[in-house]
Amino acid sequence: MFEKLTSAATCSIGTFVLLTLLGGTAQADVDIYRGVDAKSNGNATLSPGQFSFNPTLSNFIQPQLAPVLKPCNYRFTVILDGEPDVGAHGPVAGLEGYTALFDNDPEGHWGIIQPEGVSADDAKAAVSAFAQQNRQNVVNGTQDNCR
């Protein structure tokens, strides 16, 4: 029992020291969702046309907050240092160079920003390719069998 307590205390102290060295904030993962269409067989449509940047790729912290509900949703994960307050931004996991910004306009809105020098067409093609390779991130929208 003492060994477990000592181990837990050491871990907590180590975490505290690490957080202090990094500026006192903890890293957080935030899932955001992009509504996408579905084919008649229930598969989510992950073609480039589903990921338009104008000027950002709109996502929402909760799918039901999106002004236009789609049958399926694609989940992206944003890595943040600290809490997801308005103005928070961080890299999108798995999408090198892409960042997401929480502007909350409209409510719950996050915009994914493409890397500098990447055109909107190239960005939507890259995000589409990423989504197709990571189909496990498709989650149900209004259709029960999205995949």
Side-chain angles (χ1 to χ4, degrees):
M1 178 74 159
F2 177 76
E3 184 177 313
K4 285 185 181 179
L5 288 173
T6 304
S7 177
T10 302
C11 181
S12 294
I13 291 169
T15 301
F16 173 77
V17 170
L18 179 60
L19 289 175
T20 302
L21 290 172
L22 295 175
T25 59
Q27 189 173 7
D29 294 347
V30 177
D31 289 332
I32 58 176
Y33 301 88
R34 169 77 180 178
V36 295
D37 293 320
K39 299 175 184 173
S40 60
N41 65 1
N43 284 341
T45 303
L46 300 175
S47 63
Q50 298 295 308
F51 301 102
S52 295
F53 286 76
N54 29 293
T56 65
L57 177 65
S58 288
N59 291 267
F60 289 86
I61 191 78
Q62 297 171 339
Q64 64 271 22
L65 293 176
V68 177
L69 292 178
K70 299 271 189 154
C72 300
N73 290 286
Y74 190 83
R75 181 184 66 240
F76 295 97
T77 301
V78 182
I79 312 297
L80 294 179
D81 288 330
E83 296 298 316
D85 296 323
V86 173
H89 58 89
V92 178
L95 278 170
E96 186 71 32
Y98 289 77
T99 58
L101 171 67
F102 181 45
D103 61 13
N104 205 36
D105 185 21
E107 180 184 351
H109 183 264
W110 287 75
I112 294 179
I113 304 161
Q114 75 257 38
E116 192 172 321
V118 174
S119 73
D121 285 341
D122 288 345
K124 68 184 186 178
V127 172
S128 171
F130 170 79
Q132 291 173 38
Q133 292 171 356
N134 294 280
R135 191 167 274 282
Q136 74 275 8
N137 291 342
V138 171
V139 295
N140 287 346
T142 57
Q143 184 171 316
D144 290 337
N145 61 343
C146 286
R147 53 189 175 273

